[in-house]
Amino acid sequence: MSQFFVLEGVEGAGKGTVLAGLIERFRAEGVDLVVSREPGGTPMAEEIRHVLLAARDEPVAPDTELLLMFASRAQHLDRLIRPALAAGQTLLLDRFTDASYAYQGVGRGLGAERVEQLEALVQGDLRPDCVLVLDLDPEIGLARIHHNGRATDRMDGETLDFYRRVRAGYQARVAAAPQRYRLIDASGTPDQVLDAAWSALSEFRQ
């Protein structure tokens, strides 16, 4: 039976490390796993990702950002997500629509209604079985990024207040639907955070 899991979180929360650990554990159990990311996930969706995240002198309108996110998502759903689920595979995504609610809806101040309209248009009633949200003080997350020398994109250059709004947006999503979300404290060691994420996913696995 197919299952659909998503990993979300603020910048610097360790999403890449946790994702790699989850992949290793799933595959060690022989799970037929498909891993992808957003924005991106297919050749065309990755092209849209580049347009969306590239540093540029021209300011990007919040509505433009949101529409590009959903353009990438529509292609991803059609070419990868829906086919994988129809084939009975387990899908693990690095970000999905909750990122649009947190970053564009709350961070950019567009509000939930615009995101909801696009979600309904592009996704219909498709929702993940479980969304794990790595939660971390954005000040700590940004310090991690700078300390590690991680390559940054346009979305990494926002103000601390922006990332605080994004964090609050994620926390609100978790609080509104605790049956489908799990908030993971990302302030611990990588092994502690991975163990917490794996334990939370185990509640939803079939």
Side-chain angles (χ1 to χ4, degrees), residues 60-105:
V60 179
D63 280 329
T64 302
E65 188 175 277
L66 180 64
L67 289 167
L68 284 171
M69 285 287 188
F70 271 95
S72 175
R73 184 164 296 133
Q75 186 69 10
H76 196 199
L77 280 159
D78 184 72
R79 304 305 302 166
L80 188 146
I81 294 175
R82 293 189 188 278
L85 295 175
Q89 295 172 299
T90 295
L91 187 63
L92 177 61
L93 290 193
D94 178 351
R95 297 201 189 283
F96 192 52
T97 308
D98 289 290
S100 296
Y101 280 100
Y103 280 82
Q104 286 78 49

Side-chain angles (χ1 to χ4, degrees), residues 158-181:
E158 295 295 337
T159 65
L160 183 58
D161 282 344
F162 173 81
Y163 295 119
R164 284 174 174 157
R165 292 195 298 273
V166 169
R167 183 192 190 190
Y170 274 126
Q171 290 174 334
R173 298 287 292 169
V174 175
Q179 72 278 9
R180 193 160 57 89
Y181 292 83

Side-chain angles (χ1 to χ4, degrees), residues 10-39:
V10 296
E11 261 64 28
K15 221 163 24 67
T17 301
V18 172
L19 186 71
L22 293 177
I23 293 168
E24 184 176 349
R25 293 190 183 191
F26 271 119
R27 290 187 170 153
E29 293 189 356
V31 173
D32 186 6
L33 184 69
V34 174
V35 182
S36 194
R37 69 174 182 176
E38 288 210 347

